[in-house]
Amino acid sequence: MAENDGRLPIPCEPLASLPSVRGAERVTLSLPIRWNGSDLSRFCFVHAADLHLGTRFHGLAMRDEEMARHFAAATRRALERLVDKTIERQASFLLIAGDIYDGEWRDAAAGLHFAAQMARLDRAGIKVVTLRGNHDAASVVRGRITLPDNVVELATARPQTIEMDELRVAVHGQGFADRSCAENLATRYPSPKAGFFNIGLLHTSLDGRPGHGSYAPCTPVDLEARGYDYWALGHIHEFEVVRRSDPMIVYPGNLQGRSIREKGPKGAVLITVEDGRIVGEPERLLVDAGQFAEVQLSIDGIEEMHDLWLALSELCAHEPAAVEGALHAMRIVLTGQGPLHGPLVAMGNTERVAEAQAAADRKRGDVRIEKVKLRTRPSARPAADNEDMASLDDHLSAVAEDPAVKERLRAALEQIGARMTAGVGQFSEQDVEALLLEGLATAQQRVDRGD
Ligand SMILES: [Mn+2]
């Protein structure tokens, strides 16, 4: 991509402020791009979504304040890296498909940071088209700072089209007015502009994704029916090419993982267009400044605690390294069955985390243990030697297998989940099972110790 080299230092014409047109089906705005006189039949653009600037990391802060600070800074750093890469790759424009902010601003810091990064793009002659998602819907985030003229935010009342005539690109989209959006916005998007490369920008849960509520629901068939070339989606925090072609439909994922539910590398995608057609696959631009990872280790066949921590050290050594200055927040899930189960339950969470941290530190300096989850089982118990113990064993096994108990546990978990503003993923059968086992193990330990 050298086509955009040698941009002339012609300042961009400022955009007229958004006209307020009532009842209009479609509002078209022309977005002048800085044209350098070279062949513009090939260009590239960057598609990002779900920046969630201002995320609070409450849960993480309760366990590890330093790690919460690191990830709060990482959400800002990820945006800086996105801007670095967008300039480096000489993209013609950047699309942000909603949820720039995690919620209403506590102060101007998040808005100022976004404005400063957009200004860097402005100075490089790169346009930005954004819209509001459920987290930063017009009624949710009221804070505002005047953004540089290269940034256009699409309307929330009706679909709007941004045309970049020099590139022959039209971007169609509509943002969220409110946090919830049960309407299918996509079906109202305008017809494609003939002779242009048409892009649909949309914040949506599509026809449902596990662990996500329904926002601006629609199906890939609805999107296909619009006749566009590319759909730049936002909302789902996992990178996904929903469809490879006719049209290509992509979720870039969020810019920065924020919890163990958002594992692995995060970033945006770079799309290259030549003669009005997409060339190749979306290229991931990874920009995150910290990742969440999960490592599973079985206690099967391990007799001594010391050997368990050694085994964990080895496992940590094999996890891929994070990028420079980044951090792995690692969750350890202990599974299997054996004599270490009891002592692991007895040592308590704080000590388990400390031992796991020490195990990781033996091999590398970029891992921070986020949590140690116990999904272990005790060794098969020898037959109880008195009637009391026999009846306790019977009772505990009966509890463990009682579907009503599991149902109540699940209901309790869902109640807790509903109270968490950030939302939680759906609880799996495994989660319920693990909680049950931990409870039973604690009961058994107490009986064994005579508590
Ligand atoms: Mn969203």
Side-chain angles (χ1 to χ4, degrees):
M1 269 308 299
E3 281 76 4
N4 288 359
D5 276 353
R7 283 197 173 94
L8 297 175
I10 303 167
C12 302
E13 281 173 50
L15 276 176
S17 56
L18 301 187
S20 64
V21 181
R22 292 203 175 274
E25 288 275 300
R26 167 177 177 173
V27 180
T28 299
L29 270 180
S30 184
L31 187 63
I33 68 149
R34 189 181 294 182
W35 186 57
N36 56 20
S38 64
D39 177 16
L40 286 171
S41 64
R42 185 181 166 111
F43 62 89
C44 66
F45 66 90
V46 174
H47 163 203
D50 300 278
L51 279 50
H52 288 270
L53 297 173
T55 295
R56 285 167 169 82
F57 296 99
H58 281 321
L60 212 50
M62 271 168 9
R63 295 197 296 276
D64 186 338
E65 214 171 305
E66 196 184 317
M67 183 151 63
R69 264 201 304 278
H70 178 90
F71 277 92
T75 57
R76 296 190 293 273
R77 185 75 192 102
L79 173 58
E80 291 159 18
R81 284 187 182 173
L82 174 74
V83 170
D84 291 346
K85 293 204 174 188
T86 303
I87 294 171
E88 224 169 80
R89 301 300 295 271
Q90 301 183 320
S92 293
F93 56 94
L94 166 67
L95 304 173
I96 309 177
D99 287 357
I100 291 171
Y101 303 107
D102 192 54
E104 177 60 301
W105 305 352
R106 272 168 294 174
D107 51 47
L112 265 176
H113 183 66
F114 183 68
Q117 295 309 311
M118 295 305 101
R120 289 180 59 208
L121 291 173
D122 193 29
R123 295 195 290 275
I126 298 169
K127 300 299 164 194
V128 184
V129 184
T130 72
L131 46 67
R132 304 276 186 140
N134 56 310
H135 276 267
D136 58 358
S139 66
V140 174
V141 174
R142 294 171 174 283
R144 36 185 344 117
I145 282 175
T146 302
L147 291 170
D149 292 330
N150 62 323
V151 183
V152 173
E153 182 190 305
L154 296 174
T156 57
R158 64 191 68 81
Q160 195 177 11
T161 299
I162 302 298
E163 290 177 7
M164 291 177 253
D165 292 334
E166 297 88 340
L167 286 176
R168 304 188 72 73
V169 166
V171 181
H172 314 275
Q174 179 179 349
F176 282 29
D178 295 304
R179 189 187 301 275
S180 64
C181 177
E183 289 163 81
N184 183 335
L185 296 179
T187 51
R188 296 207 311 248
Y189 275 31
S191 308
K193 187 171 163 79
F196 273 52
F197 184 83
N198 286 271
I199 299 173
L201 188 62
L202 179 64
H203 198 78
T204 178
S205 57
L206 273 182
D207 42 5
R209 286 289 181 277
H212 290 268
S214 178
Y215 293 96
C218 58
T219 66
V221 174
D222 295 333
L223 302 188
E224 180 192 355
R226 300 322 304 148
Y228 299 167
D229 300 287
Y230 183 79
W231 278 93
L233 305 186
H235 183 66
I236 303 299
H237 291 184
E238 197 71 38
F239 167 64
E240 183 184 353
V241 179
V242 179
R243 207 166 136 153
R244 300 213 102 73
S245 60
D246 306 310
M248 183 183 274
I249 305 174
V250 176
Y251 280 115
N254 53 348
L255 273 202
Q256 170 61 56
R258 300 174 308 147
S259 77
I260 196 69
R261 286 179 294 131
E262 300 176 353
K263 288 190 271 290
K266 299 287 177 184
V269 293
L270 180 92
I271 306 290
T272 301
V273 178
E274 194 172 340
D275 297 324
R277 295 188 70 83
I278 294 170
V279 182
E281 303 284 304
E283 180 188 339
R284 290 194 80 187
L285 302 180
L286 300 180
V287 300
D288 55 10
Q291 293 176 14
F292 286 85
E294 186 175 290
V295 161
Q296 294 213 11
L297 176 59
S298 170
I299 64 166
D300 283 353
I302 304 181
E303 304 281 327
E304 299 292 332
M305 201 56 96
H306 181 74
D307 296 331
L308 175 72
W309 302 127
L310 272 184
L312 183 60
S313 264
E314 287 307 318
L315 266 180
C316 288
H318 290 104
E319 274 294 298
V323 289
E324 185 83 24
L327 191 76
H328 270 306
M330 201 176 281
R331 176 170 293 190
I332 312 298
V333 182
L334 298 174
T335 62
Q337 184 173 22
L340 290 188
H341 169 81
L344 278 168
V345 170
M347 77 195 290
N349 185 58
T350 309
E351 200 183 329
R352 285 194 298 258
V353 169
E355 285 290 2
Q357 184 66 58
D361 289 347
R362 275 198 279 278
K363 295 289 180 182
R364 58 197 293 174
D366 64 345
V367 164
R368 193 130 182 142
I369 301 300
E370 182 256 0
K371 196 183 236 181
V372 177
K373 243 186 159 167
L374 277 191
R375 278 185 182 154
T376 53
R377 288 166 183 270
S379 314
R381 287 166 68 88
D385 52 9
N386 66 48
E387 250 177 53
D388 279 357
M389 289 305 281
S391 77
L392 175 75
D393 272 1
D394 287 348
H395 182 62
L396 289 182
S397 344
V399 167
E401 266 134 49
D402 185 351
V405 171
K406 282 189 190 173
E407 207 32 63
R408 278 167 62 191
L409 260 179
R410 179 188 301 283
L413 282 175
E414 270 161 20
Q415 265 184 357
I416 293 166
R419 287 192 195 129
M420 291 171 75
T421 46
V424 289
Q426 272 160 358
F427 289 102
S428 65
E429 192 60 35
Q430 256 189 334
D431 290 326
V432 175
E433 192 82 12
L435 201 62
L436 187 59
L437 280 173
E438 200 160 341
L440 292 178
T442 308
Q444 220 145 34
Q445 280 286 131
R446 287 196 171 186
V447 171
D448 290 350
R449 287 202 310 253
D451 284 7

